[in-house]
PDB file of all heavy atoms in Angstrom:
ATOM      1  N   GLU A   1     233.667 -91.417 -11.656  1.00 94.00           N
ATOM      2  CA  GLU A   1     233.688 -91.585 -10.149  1.00 94.00           C
ATOM      3  C   GLU A   1     234.949 -90.867  -9.588  1.00 94.00           C
ATOM      4  O   GLU A   1     234.866 -90.372  -8.419  1.00 94.00           O
ATOM      5  CB  GLU A   1     233.685 -93.017  -9.765  1.00 94.00           C
ATOM      6  CG  GLU A   1     234.903 -93.889 -10.123  1.00 94.00           C
ATOM      7  CD  GLU A   1     234.785 -94.507 -11.499  1.00 94.00           C
ATOM      8  OE1 GLU A   1     234.085 -93.931 -12.347  1.00 94.00           O
ATOM      9  OE2 GLU A   1     235.439 -95.546 -11.755  1.00 94.00           O
ATOM     10  N   GLN A   2     236.047 -90.835 -10.327  1.00 96.00           N
ATOM     11  CA  GLN A   2     237.275 -90.213  -9.779  1.00 96.00           C
ATOM     12  C   GLN A   2     237.182 -88.661  -9.672  1.00 96.00           C
ATOM     13  O   GLN A   2     238.012 -88.050  -9.030  1.00 96.00           O
ATOM     14  CB  GLN A   2     238.452 -90.590 -10.633  1.00 96.00           C
ATOM     15  CG  GLN A   2     238.557 -89.957 -12.000  1.00 96.00           C
ATOM     16  CD  GLN A   2     237.935 -90.894 -13.041  1.00 96.00           C
ATOM     17  OE1 GLN A   2     236.873 -91.520 -12.832  1.00 96.00           O
ATOM     18  NE2 GLN A   2     238.477 -90.931 -14.231  1.00 96.00           N
ATOM     19  N   PHE A   3     236.113 -88.097 -10.320  1.00 97.00           N
ATOM     20  CA  PHE A   3     235.917 -86.621 -10.262  1.00 97.00           C
ATOM     21  C   PHE A   3     234.819 -86.210  -9.271  1.00 97.00           C
ATOM     22  O   PHE A   3     234.506 -85.034  -9.292  1.00 97.00           O
ATOM     23  CB  PHE A   3     235.618 -86.120 -11.633  1.00 97.00           C
ATOM     24  CG  PHE A   3     236.694 -86.446 -12.697  1.00 97.00           C
ATOM     25  CD1 PHE A   3     236.513 -87.470 -13.602  1.00 97.00           C
ATOM     26  CD2 PHE A   3     237.842 -85.702 -12.739  1.00 97.00           C
ATOM     27  CE1 PHE A   3     237.482 -87.717 -14.495  1.00 97.00           C
ATOM     28  CE2 PHE A   3     238.827 -85.950 -13.676  1.00 97.00           C
ATOM     29  CZ  PHE A   3     238.643 -86.928 -14.566  1.00 97.00           C
ATOM     30  N   CYS A   4     234.266 -87.128  -8.486  1.00 96.00           N
ATOM     31  CA  CYS A   4     233.076 -86.872  -7.798  1.00 96.00           C
ATOM     32  C   CYS A   4     233.232 -85.685  -6.756  1.00 96.00           C
ATOM     33  O   CYS A   4     232.254 -84.983  -6.473  1.00 96.00           O
ATOM     34  CB  CYS A   4     232.502 -88.060  -7.024  1.00 96.00           C
ATOM     35  SG  CYS A   4     233.618 -88.795  -5.775  1.00 96.00           S
ATOM     36  N   TYR A   5     234.478 -85.426  -6.280  1.00 96.00           N
ATOM     37  CA  TYR A   5     234.633 -84.314  -5.330  1.00 96.00           C
ATOM     38  C   TYR A   5     235.314 -83.107  -5.987  1.00 96.00           C
ATOM     39  O   TYR A   5     235.639 -82.132  -5.307  1.00 96.00           O
ATOM     40  CB  TYR A   5     235.441 -84.807  -4.088  1.00 96.00           C
ATOM     41  CG  TYR A   5     234.650 -85.898  -3.338  1.00 96.00           C
ATOM     42  CD1 TYR A   5     235.168 -87.182  -3.256  1.00 96.00           C
ATOM     43  CD2 TYR A   5     233.420 -85.629  -2.732  1.00 96.00           C
ATOM     44  CE1 TYR A   5     234.477 -88.186  -2.604  1.00 96.00           C
ATOM     45  CE2 TYR A   5     232.708 -86.622  -2.079  1.00 96.00           C
ATOM     46  CZ  TYR A   5     233.253 -87.895  -2.022  1.00 96.00           C
ATOM     47  OH  TYR A   5     232.544 -88.909  -1.356  1.00 96.00           O
ATOM     48  N   ASN A   6     235.560 -83.189  -7.301  1.00 97.00           N
ATOM     49  CA  ASN A   6     236.053 -82.024  -8.033  1.00 97.00           C
ATOM     50  C   ASN A   6     234.942 -80.938  -8.225  1.00 97.00           C
ATOM     51  O   ASN A   6     233.764 -81.326  -8.298  1.00 97.00           O
ATOM     52  CB  ASN A   6     236.573 -82.391  -9.406  1.00 97.00           C
ATOM     53  CG  ASN A   6     237.858 -83.194  -9.354  1.00 97.00           C
ATOM     54  OD1 ASN A   6     237.948 -84.165  -8.585  1.00 97.00           O
ATOM     55  ND2 ASN A   6     238.845 -82.834 -10.135  1.00 97.00           N
ATOM     56  N   ARG A   7     235.345 -79.689  -8.265  1.00 97.00           N
ATOM     57  CA  ARG A   7     234.377 -78.678  -8.644  1.00 97.00           C
ATOM     58  C   ARG A   7     233.939 -78.839 -10.106  1.00 97.00           C
ATOM     59  O   ARG A   7     234.801 -79.176 -10.942  1.00 97.00           O
ATOM     60  CB  ARG A   7     234.999 -77.296  -8.414  1.00 97.00           C
ATOM     61  CG  ARG A   7     235.056 -76.862  -6.942  1.00 97.00           C
ATOM     62  CD  ARG A   7     236.028 -75.731  -6.765  1.00 97.00           C
ATOM     63  NE  ARG A   7     235.692 -74.534  -7.604  1.00 97.00           N
ATOM     64  CZ  ARG A   7     235.210 -73.360  -7.085  1.00 97.00           C
ATOM     65  NH1 ARG A   7     234.945 -73.236  -5.768  1.00 97.00           N
ATOM     66  NH2 ARG A   7     234.978 -72.363  -7.882  1.00 97.00           N
ATOM     67  N   ALA A   8     232.679 -78.571 -10.354  1.00 97.00           N
ATOM     68  CA  ALA A   8     232.208 -78.777 -11.706  1.00 97.00           C
ATOM     69  C   ALA A   8     232.945 -77.825 -12.697  1.00 97.00           C
ATOM     70  O   ALA A   8     233.067 -78.157 -13.891  1.00 97.00           O
ATOM     71  CB  ALA A   8     230.700 -78.535 -11.782  1.00 97.00           C
ATOM     72  N   SER A   9     233.408 -76.727 -12.189  1.00 97.00           N
ATOM     73  CA  SER A   9     234.068 -75.734 -13.050  1.00 97.00           C
ATOM     74  C   SER A   9     235.399 -76.289 -13.621  1.00 97.00           C
ATOM     75  O   SER A   9     235.946 -75.732 -14.598  1.00 97.00           O
ATOM     76  CB  SER A   9     234.338 -74.449 -12.288  1.00 97.00           C
ATOM     77  OG  SER A   9     235.146 -74.659 -11.128  1.00 97.00           O
ATOM     78  N   ASP A  10     235.928 -77.308 -12.980  1.00 96.00           N
ATOM     79  CA  ASP A  10     237.268 -77.861 -13.350  1.00 96.00           C
ATOM     80  C   ASP A  10     237.189 -78.904 -14.518  1.00 96.00           C
ATOM     81  O   ASP A  10     238.217 -79.404 -14.976  1.00 96.00           O
ATOM     82  CB  ASP A  10     237.976 -78.521 -12.188  1.00 96.00           C
ATOM     83  CG  ASP A  10     238.270 -77.486 -11.098  1.00 96.00           C
ATOM     84  OD1 ASP A  10     238.393 -76.309 -11.401  1.00 96.00           O
ATOM     85  OD2 ASP A  10     238.372 -77.925  -9.881  1.00 96.00           O
ATOM     86  N   LEU A  11     235.981 -79.248 -14.943  1.00 97.00           N
ATOM     87  CA  LEU A  11     235.776 -80.296 -15.894  1.00 97.00           C
ATOM     88  C   LEU A  11     235.842 -79.797 -17.356  1.00 97.00           C
ATOM     89  O   LEU A  11     235.593 -78.642 -17.648  1.00 97.00           O
ATOM     90  CB  LEU A  11     234.429 -80.934 -15.675  1.00 97.00           C
ATOM     91  CG  LEU A  11     234.128 -81.554 -14.308  1.00 97.00           C
ATOM     92  CD1 LEU A  11     232.699 -82.094 -14.245  1.00 97.00           C
ATOM     93  CD2 LEU A  11     235.160 -82.606 -13.898  1.00 97.00           C
ATOM     94  N   SER A  12     236.128 -80.740 -18.187  1.00 96.00           N
ATOM     95  CA  SER A  12     236.050 -80.476 -19.681  1.00 96.00           C
ATOM     96  C   SER A  12     234.558 -80.406 -20.073  1.00 96.00           C
ATOM     97  O   SER A  12     233.635 -80.845 -19.352  1.00 96.00           O
ATOM     98  CB  SER A  12     236.746 -81.499 -20.470  1.00 96.00           C
ATOM     99  OG  SER A  12     236.112 -82.759 -20.417  1.00 96.00           O
ATOM    100  N   GLY A  13     234.284 -80.050 -21.331  1.00 95.00           N
ATOM    101  CA  GLY A  13     232.919 -80.021 -21.811  1.00 95.00           C
ATOM    102  C   GLY A  13     232.272 -81.314 -21.818  1.00 95.00           C
ATOM    103  O   GLY A  13     231.113 -81.486 -21.371  1.00 95.00           O
ATOM    104  N   GLY A  14     232.958 -82.342 -22.298  1.00 96.00           N
ATOM    105  CA  GLY A  14     232.418 -83.694 -22.301  1.00 96.00           C
ATOM    106  C   GLY A  14     232.160 -84.224 -20.918  1.00 96.00           C
ATOM    107  O   GLY A  14     231.126 -84.922 -20.685  1.00 96.00           O
ATOM    108  N   GLN A  15     233.055 -83.929 -19.987  1.00 97.00           N
ATOM    109  CA  GLN A  15     232.820 -84.351 -18.595  1.00 97.00           C
ATOM    110  C   GLN A  15     231.646 -83.625 -17.961  1.00 97.00           C
ATOM    111  O   GLN A  15     230.829 -84.251 -17.206  1.00 97.00           O
ATOM    112  CB  GLN A  15     234.059 -84.087 -17.766  1.00 97.00           C
ATOM    113  CG  GLN A  15     235.284 -84.975 -18.162  1.00 97.00           C
ATOM    114  CD  GLN A  15     236.581 -84.515 -17.521  1.00 97.00           C
ATOM    115  OE1 GLN A  15     236.788 -83.318 -17.160  1.00 97.00           O
ATOM    116  NE2 GLN A  15     237.532 -85.445 -17.381  1.00 97.00           N
ATOM    117  N   LYS A  16     231.493 -82.288 -18.269  1.00 97.00           N
ATOM    118  CA  LYS A  16     230.336 -81.612 -17.727  1.00 97.00           C
ATOM    119  C   LYS A  16     229.051 -82.225 -18.242  1.00 97.00           C
ATOM    120  O   LYS A  16     228.063 -82.320 -17.479  1.00 97.00           O
ATOM    121  CB  LYS A  16     230.426 -80.132 -18.146  1.00 97.00           C
ATOM    122  CG  LYS A  16     231.503 -79.319 -17.399  1.00 97.00           C
ATOM    123  CD  LYS A  16     231.682 -77.918 -18.022  1.00 97.00           C
ATOM    124  CE  LYS A  16     232.782 -77.191 -17.316  1.00 97.00           C
ATOM    125  NZ  LYS A  16     233.104 -75.868 -17.976  1.00 97.00           N
ATOM    126  N   GLN A  17     229.019 -82.653 -19.487  1.00 97.00           N
ATOM    127  CA  GLN A  17     227.772 -83.188 -20.024  1.00 97.00           C
ATOM    128  C   GLN A  17     227.499 -84.579 -19.420  1.00 97.00           C
ATOM    129  O   GLN A  17     226.326 -84.915 -19.237  1.00 97.00           O
ATOM    130  CB  GLN A  17     227.835 -83.302 -21.594  1.00 97.00           C
ATOM    131  CG  GLN A  17     226.515 -83.446 -22.197  1.00 97.00           C
ATOM    132  CD  GLN A  17     225.489 -82.358 -21.854  1.00 97.00           C
ATOM    133  OE1 GLN A  17     225.007 -82.197 -20.743  1.00 97.00           O
ATOM    134  NE2 GLN A  17     225.211 -81.500 -22.872  1.00 97.00           N
ATOM    135  N   ARG A  18     228.540 -85.316 -19.042  1.00 97.00           N
ATOM    136  CA  ARG A  18     228.329 -86.562 -18.366  1.00 97.00           C
ATOM    137  C   ARG A  18     227.681 -86.330 -17.001  1.00 97.00           C
ATOM    138  O   ARG A  18     226.754 -87.044 -16.607  1.00 97.00           O
ATOM    139  CB  ARG A  18     229.624 -87.322 -18.120  1.00 97.00           C
ATOM    140  CG  ARG A  18     230.275 -87.835 -19.348  1.00 97.00           C
ATOM    141  CD  ARG A  18     231.399 -88.771 -19.020  1.00 97.00           C
ATOM    142  NE  ARG A  18     232.326 -88.868 -20.154  1.00 97.00           N
ATOM    143  CZ  ARG A  18     233.256 -89.786 -20.238  1.00 97.00           C
ATOM    144  NH1 ARG A  18     233.373 -90.740 -19.290  1.00 97.00           N
ATOM    145  NH2 ARG A  18     234.108 -89.862 -21.253  1.00 97.00           N
ATOM    146  N   VAL A  19     228.046 -85.277 -16.321  1.00 97.00           N
ATOM    147  CA  VAL A  19     227.440 -84.867 -15.061  1.00 97.00           C
ATOM    148  C   VAL A  19     225.991 -84.456 -15.265  1.00 97.00           C
ATOM    149  O   VAL A  19     225.085 -84.816 -14.481  1.00 97.00           O
ATOM    150  CB  VAL A  19     228.179 -83.721 -14.348  1.00 97.00           C
ATOM    151  CG1 VAL A  19     227.536 -83.303 -13.013  1.00 97.00           C
ATOM    152  CG2 VAL A  19     229.650 -84.160 -14.118  1.00 97.00           C
ATOM    153  N   GLY A  20     225.735 -83.761 -16.408  1.00 97.00           N
ATOM    154  CA  GLY A  20     224.383 -83.396 -16.723  1.00 97.00           C
ATOM    155  C   GLY A  20     223.501 -84.643 -16.956  1.00 97.00           C
ATOM    156  O   GLY A  20     222.345 -84.657 -16.535  1.00 97.00           O
ATOM    157  N   ILE A  21     224.033 -85.640 -17.640  1.00 97.00           N
ATOM    158  CA  ILE A  21     223.294 -86.855 -17.815  1.00 97.00           C
ATOM    159  C   ILE A  21     223.032 -87.600 -16.500  1.00 97.00           C
ATOM    160  O   ILE A  21     221.872 -88.026 -16.234  1.00 97.00           O
ATOM    161  CB  ILE A  21     224.045 -87.854 -18.789  1.00 97.00           C
ATOM    162  CG1 ILE A  21     224.183 -87.222 -20.162  1.00 97.00           C
ATOM    163  CG2 ILE A  21     223.434 -89.229 -18.831  1.00 97.00           C
ATOM    164  CD1 ILE A  21     225.067 -88.006 -21.130  1.00 97.00           C
ATOM    165  N   ALA A  22     224.044 -87.680 -15.636  1.00 97.00           N
ATOM    166  CA  ALA A  22     223.849 -88.308 -14.345  1.00 97.00           C
ATOM    167  C   ALA A  22     222.789 -87.592 -13.526  1.00 97.00           C
ATOM    168  O   ALA A  22     221.963 -88.244 -12.883  1.00 97.00           O
ATOM    169  CB  ALA A  22     225.189 -88.287 -13.597  1.00 97.00           C
ATOM    170  N   ARG A  23     222.776 -86.239 -13.511  1.00 97.00           N
ATOM    171  CA  ARG A  23     221.808 -85.470 -12.746  1.00 97.00           C
ATOM    172  C   ARG A  23     220.410 -85.745 -13.276  1.00 97.00           C
ATOM    173  O   ARG A  23     219.468 -85.951 -12.495  1.00 97.00           O
ATOM    174  CB  ARG A  23     222.115 -84.005 -12.895  1.00 97.00           C
ATOM    175  CG  ARG A  23     221.103 -83.073 -12.190  1.00 97.00           C
ATOM    176  CD  ARG A  23     221.383 -81.592 -12.431  1.00 97.00           C
ATOM    177  NE  ARG A  23     221.398 -81.315 -13.896  1.00 97.00           N
ATOM    178  CZ  ARG A  23     221.850 -80.208 -14.407  1.00 97.00           C
ATOM    179  NH1 ARG A  23     222.450 -79.319 -13.613  1.00 97.00           N
ATOM    180  NH2 ARG A  23     221.853 -80.029 -15.730  1.00 97.00           N
ATOM    181  N   ALA A  24     220.245 -85.850 -14.623  1.00 97.00           N
ATOM    182  CA  ALA A  24     218.955 -86.088 -15.151  1.00 97.00           C
ATOM    183  C   ALA A  24     218.419 -87.498 -14.864  1.00 97.00           C
ATOM    184  O   ALA A  24     217.249 -87.687 -14.521  1.00 97.00           O
ATOM    185  CB  ALA A  24     218.991 -85.875 -16.680  1.00 97.00           C
ATOM    186  N   VAL A  25     219.321 -88.464 -14.962  1.00 97.00           N
ATOM    187  CA  VAL A  25     218.918 -89.858 -14.675  1.00 97.00           C
ATOM    188  C   VAL A  25     218.698 -90.049 -13.178  1.00 97.00           C
ATOM    189  O   VAL A  25     217.828 -90.855 -12.771  1.00 97.00           O
ATOM    190  CB  VAL A  25     220.052 -90.809 -15.181  1.00 97.00           C
ATOM    191  CG1 VAL A  25     219.705 -92.267 -14.765  1.00 97.00           C
ATOM    192  CG2 VAL A  25     220.142 -90.771 -16.701  1.00 97.00           C
ATOM    193  N   MET A  26     219.422 -89.311 -12.361  1.00 96.00           N
ATOM    194  CA  MET A  26     219.207 -89.331 -10.891  1.00 96.00           C
ATOM    195  C   MET A  26     217.758 -89.010 -10.545  1.00 96.00           C
ATOM    196  O   MET A  26     217.241 -89.490  -9.501  1.00 96.00           O
ATOM    197  CB  MET A  26     220.130 -88.312 -10.203  1.00 96.00           C
ATOM    198  CG  MET A  26     220.154 -88.354  -8.718  1.00 96.00           C
ATOM    199  SD  MET A  26     221.066 -89.794  -8.102  1.00 96.00           S
ATOM    200  CE  MET A  26     220.732 -89.636  -6.321  1.00 96.00           C
ATOM    201  N   GLN A  27     217.116 -88.237 -11.351  1.00 95.00           N
ATOM    202  CA  GLN A  27     215.741 -87.808 -11.126  1.00 95.00           C
ATOM    203  C   GLN A  27     214.759 -88.978 -11.311  1.00 95.00           C
ATOM    204  O   GLN A  27     213.549 -88.842 -11.048  1.00 95.00           O
ATOM    205  CB  GLN A  27     215.443 -86.699 -12.130  1.00 95.00           C
ATOM    206  CG  GLN A  27     214.182 -85.863 -11.822  1.00 95.00           C
ATOM    207  CD  GLN A  27     214.111 -84.699 -12.806  1.00 95.00           C
ATOM    208  OE1 GLN A  27     215.057 -84.044 -13.151  1.00 95.00           O
ATOM    209  NE2 GLN A  27     212.908 -84.416 -13.278  1.00 95.00           N
ATOM    210  N   GLN A  28     215.226 -90.060 -11.877  1.00 95.00           N
ATOM    211  CA  GLN A  28     214.426 -91.268 -12.187  1.00 95.00           C
ATOM    212  C   GLN A  28     213.237 -90.884 -13.035  1.00 95.00           C
ATOM    213  O   GLN A  28     212.048 -91.161 -12.809  1.00 95.00           O
ATOM    214  CB  GLN A  28     213.935 -91.930 -10.878  1.00 95.00           C
ATOM    215  CG  GLN A  28     215.062 -92.484 -10.035  1.00 95.00           C
ATOM    216  CD  GLN A  28     214.575 -93.105  -8.723  1.00 95.00           C
ATOM    217  OE1 GLN A  28     213.945 -92.533  -7.907  1.00 95.00           O
ATOM    218  NE2 GLN A  28     214.917 -94.381  -8.606  1.00 95.00           N
ATOM    219  N   PRO A  29     213.525 -90.286 -14.241  1.00 96.00           N
ATOM    220  CA  PRO A  29     212.447 -89.793 -15.053  1.00 96.00           C
ATOM    221  C   PRO A  29     211.885 -90.884 -15.926  1.00 96.00           C
ATOM    222  O   PRO A  29     212.498 -91.949 -16.146  1.00 96.00           O
ATOM    223  CB  PRO A  29     213.186 -88.758 -15.964  1.00 96.00           C
ATOM    224  CG  PRO A  29     214.559 -89.322 -16.091  1.00 96.00           C
ATOM    225  CD  PRO A  29     214.877 -89.977 -14.767  1.00 96.00           C
ATOM    226  N   LYS A  30     210.691 -90.613 -16.487  1.00 96.00           N
ATOM    227  CA  LYS A  30     210.168 -91.493 -17.559  1.00 96.00           C
ATOM    228  C   LYS A  30     210.474 -91.012 -18.953  1.00 96.00           C
ATOM    229  O   LYS A  30     210.338 -91.714 -19.901  1.00 96.00           O
ATOM    230  CB  LYS A  30     208.635 -91.598 -17.305  1.00 96.00           C
ATOM    231  CG  LYS A  30     208.170 -92.319 -16.086  1.00 96.00           C
ATOM    232  CD  LYS A  30     206.683 -92.618 -16.135  1.00 96.00           C
ATOM    233  CE  LYS A  30     206.350 -93.549 -14.967  1.00 96.00           C
ATOM    234  NZ  LYS A  30     204.897 -93.942 -15.009  1.00 96.00           N
ATOM    235  N   LEU A  31     210.919 -89.716 -18.941  1.00 97.00           N
ATOM    236  CA  LEU A  31     211.224 -89.057 -20.224  1.00 97.00           C
ATOM    237  C   LEU A  31     212.465 -88.263 -20.127  1.00 97.00           C
ATOM    238  O   LEU A  31     212.528 -87.417 -19.150  1.00 97.00           O
ATOM    239  CB  LEU A  31     210.003 -88.205 -20.705  1.00 97.00           C
ATOM    240  CG  LEU A  31     210.137 -87.397 -21.978  1.00 97.00           C
ATOM    241  CD1 LEU A  31     210.358 -88.321 -23.213  1.00 97.00           C
ATOM    242  CD2 LEU A  31     208.943 -86.490 -22.165  1.00 97.00           C
ATOM    243  N   LEU A  32     213.393 -88.320 -21.016  1.00 97.00           N
ATOM    244  CA  LEU A  32     214.558 -87.415 -21.065  1.00 97.00           C
ATOM    245  C   LEU A  32     214.428 -86.463 -22.238  1.00 97.00           C
ATOM    246  O   LEU A  32     214.132 -86.860 -23.356  1.00 97.00           O
ATOM    247  CB  LEU A  32     215.811 -88.231 -21.220  1.00 97.00           C
ATOM    248  CG  LEU A  32     216.524 -88.821 -19.948  1.00 97.00           C
ATOM    249  CD1 LEU A  32     217.701 -89.663 -20.395  1.00 97.00           C
ATOM    250  CD2 LEU A  32     216.881 -87.714 -19.033  1.00 97.00           C
ATOM    251  N   LEU A  33     214.617 -85.157 -21.979  1.00 97.00           N
ATOM    252  CA  LEU A  33     214.597 -84.151 -23.004  1.00 97.00           C
ATOM    253  C   LEU A  33     216.034 -83.625 -23.090  1.00 97.00           C
ATOM    254  O   LEU A  33     216.584 -83.111 -22.144  1.00 97.00           O
ATOM    255  CB  LEU A  33     213.644 -83.030 -22.656  1.00 97.00           C
ATOM    256  CG  LEU A  33     212.196 -83.378 -22.388  1.00 97.00           C
ATOM    257  CD1 LEU A  33     211.365 -82.205 -22.033  1.00 97.00           C
ATOM    258  CD2 LEU A  33     211.584 -84.134 -23.542  1.00 97.00           C
ATOM    259  N   CYS A  34     216.607 -83.705 -24.303  1.00 96.00           N
ATOM    260  CA  CYS A  34     217.956 -83.219 -24.517  1.00 96.00           C
ATOM    261  C   CYS A  34     217.973 -82.133 -25.564  1.00 96.00           C
ATOM    262  O   CYS A  34     217.713 -82.390 -26.791  1.00 96.00           O
ATOM    263  CB  CYS A  34     218.842 -84.455 -24.972  1.00 96.00           C
ATOM    264  SG  CYS A  34     218.587 -85.904 -23.966  1.00 96.00           S
ATOM    265  N   ASP A  35     218.369 -80.922 -25.180  1.00 94.00           N
ATOM    266  CA  ASP A  35     218.322 -79.821 -26.098  1.00 94.00           C
ATOM    267  C   ASP A  35     219.734 -79.565 -26.622  1.00 94.00           C
ATOM    268  O   ASP A  35     220.558 -78.960 -25.950  1.00 94.00           O
ATOM    269  CB  ASP A  35     217.790 -78.567 -25.390  1.00 94.00           C
ATOM    270  CG  ASP A  35     217.370 -77.462 -26.367  1.00 94.00           C
ATOM    271  OD1 ASP A  35     217.352 -77.766 -27.556  1.00 94.00           O
ATOM    272  OD2 ASP A  35     217.087 -76.370 -25.927  1.00 94.00           O
ATOM    273  N   GLU A  36     220.027 -80.029 -27.844  1.00 94.00           N
ATOM    274  CA  GLU A  36     221.357 -79.857 -28.505  1.00 94.00           C
ATOM    275  C   GLU A  36     222.488 -80.331 -27.577  1.00 94.00           C
ATOM    276  O   GLU A  36     223.431 -79.535 -27.284  1.00 94.00           O
ATOM    277  CB  GLU A  36     221.568 -78.405 -28.910  1.00 94.00           C
ATOM    278  CG  GLU A  36     220.473 -77.825 -29.825  1.00 94.00           C
ATOM    279  CD  GLU A  36     220.558 -78.288 -31.252  1.00 94.00           C
ATOM    280  OE1 GLU A  36     221.342 -79.157 -31.522  1.00 94.00           O
ATOM    281  OE2 GLU A  36     219.822 -77.738 -32.049  1.00 94.00           O
ATOM    282  N   PRO A  37     222.475 -81.541 -27.033  1.00 95.00           N
ATOM    283  CA  PRO A  37     223.396 -81.968 -25.962  1.00 95.00           C
ATOM    284  C   PRO A  37     224.813 -82.059 -26.415  1.00 95.00           C
ATOM    285  O   PRO A  37     225.713 -82.087 -25.569  1.00 95.00           O
ATOM    286  CB  PRO A  37     222.860 -83.304 -25.593  1.00 95.00           C
ATOM    287  CG  PRO A  37     222.175 -83.826 -26.812  1.00 95.00           C
ATOM    288  CD  PRO A  37     221.502 -82.649 -27.418  1.00 95.00           C
ATOM    289  N   ILE A  38     225.130 -82.059 -27.778  1.00 95.00           N
ATOM    290  CA  ILE A  38     226.510 -82.225 -28.189  1.00 95.00           C
ATOM    291  C   ILE A  38     226.965 -81.039 -29.033  1.00 95.00           C
ATOM    292  O   ILE A  38     228.035 -81.065 -29.641  1.00 95.00           O
ATOM    293  CB  ILE A  38     226.717 -83.555 -28.987  1.00 95.00           C
ATOM    294  CG1 ILE A  38     225.787 -83.576 -30.266  1.00 95.00           C
ATOM    295  CG2 ILE A  38     226.477 -84.748 -28.111  1.00 95.00           C
ATOM    296  CD1 ILE A  38     226.062 -84.762 -31.153  1.00 95.00           C
ATOM    297  N   ALA A  39     226.147 -79.980 -29.075  1.00 91.00           N
ATOM    298  CA  ALA A  39     226.485 -78.841 -29.958  1.00 91.00           C
ATOM    299  C   ALA A  39     227.708 -78.153 -29.526  1.00 91.00           C
ATOM    300  O   ALA A  39     228.402 -77.571 -30.363  1.00 91.00           O
ATOM    301  CB  ALA A  39     225.283 -77.813 -29.922  1.00 91.00           C
ATOM    302  N   SER A  40     228.144 -78.229 -28.290  1.00 88.00           N
ATOM    303  CA  SER A  40     229.311 -77.501 -27.802  1.00 88.00           C
ATOM    304  C   SER A  40     230.520 -78.417 -27.702  1.00 88.00           C
ATOM    305  O   SER A  40     231.598 -78.003 -27.200  1.00 88.00           O
ATOM    306  CB  SER A  40     229.002 -76.920 -26.393  1.00 88.00           C
ATOM    307  OG  SER A  40     227.935 -76.030 -26.455  1.00 88.00           O
ATOM    308  N   LEU A  41     230.451 -79.651 -28.215  1.00 93.00           N
ATOM    309  CA  LEU A  41     231.526 -80.624 -28.044  1.00 93.00           C
ATOM    310  C   LEU A  41     232.219 -80.915 -29.328  1.00 93.00           C
ATOM    311  O   LEU A  41     231.680 -80.785 -30.433  1.00 93.00           O
ATOM    312  CB  LEU A  41     230.934 -81.929 -27.455  1.00 93.00           C
ATOM    313  CG  LEU A  41     230.120 -81.838 -26.154  1.00 93.00           C
ATOM    314  CD1 LEU A  41     229.546 -83.163 -25.743  1.00 93.00           C
ATOM    315  CD2 LEU A  41     230.987 -81.262 -25.024  1.00 93.00           C
ATOM    316  N   ASP A  42     233.508 -81.407 -29.208  1.00 93.00           N
ATOM    317  CA  ASP A  42     234.258 -81.841 -30.348  1.00 93.00           C
ATOM    318  C   ASP A  42     233.653 -83.210 -30.816  1.00 93.00           C
ATOM    319  O   ASP A  42     232.943 -83.881 -30.038  1.00 93.00           O
ATOM    320  CB  ASP A  42     235.703 -81.945 -30.048  1.00 93.00           C
ATOM    321  CG  ASP A  42     236.003 -82.963 -28.953  1.00 93.00           C
ATOM    322  OD1 ASP A  42     236.098 -84.226 -29.224  1.00 93.00           O
ATOM    323  OD2 ASP A  42     236.118 -82.553 -27.751  1.00 93.00           O
TER     324      ASP A  42
END
């Protein structure tokens, strides 16, 4: 929540993926597809 007005470019990899999760869940889906979601993370 403290990053909501930050530019996405300013985030770390893990933070960017959290935004990706939020965007996908915002869609109110019945199915989530995750293509190598942690491959770029420590």
Side-chain angles (χ1 to χ4, degrees):
E1 69 270 28
Q2 70 269 38
F3 300 103
C4 62
Y5 298 115
N6 289 49
R7 282 163 59 110
S9 58
D10 297 335
L11 303 177
S12 69
Q15 290 168 337
K16 288 173 183 172
Q17 198 57 290
R18 292 192 202 194
V19 177
I21 293 172
R23 177 185 58 194
V25 174
M26 186 74 187
Q27 196 174 318
Q28 297 180 301
K30 292 191 172 185
L31 176 65
L32 276 176
L33 305 179
C34 311
D35 196 9
E36 305 283 9
I38 59 173
S40 302
L41 304 178
D42 63 83

